Amino acid sequence: MVTAVQLPLDALSDGEIATVVGICGDCDCCNRLSEMGLREGIRVRMVKQGDPCILAIGDQRLCFRPEDDCSVIVELN
């Protein structure tokens, strides 16, 4: 049995693809991320690691800066 690896979104390397499995933190931050398309069940690809990092969600690109009051947990595909 293979166990899926879960980690913070900002721990992905360039080119890695993962599925968002959780967003924890301040409600305003979580709502803002959801409005930008970053929500549970969405597949993301790390385009460029860094602070901020660049994510691909479908055909769109999102500049993401991890915040202390909100964390995004992903599962490697």
Side-chain angles (χ1 to χ4, degrees), residues 9-56:
L9 176 65
D10 57 321
L12 292 178
S13 298
D14 290 356
E16 280 190 307
I17 297 173
T19 302
V20 176
V21 294
I23 300 176
C24 308
D26 177 84
C27 287
D28 289 335
C29 178
C30 293
N31 288 337
R32 187 174 68 242
L33 292 176
S34 179
E35 289 171 353
M36 293 188 301
L38 195 60
R39 58 181 76 87
E40 286 186 32
I42 293 295
R43 288 179 50 143
V44 298
R45 179 175 53 87
M46 180 65 72
V47 174
K48 181 186 169 295
Q49 177 58 275
D51 187 15
C53 61
I54 300 174
L55 304 172

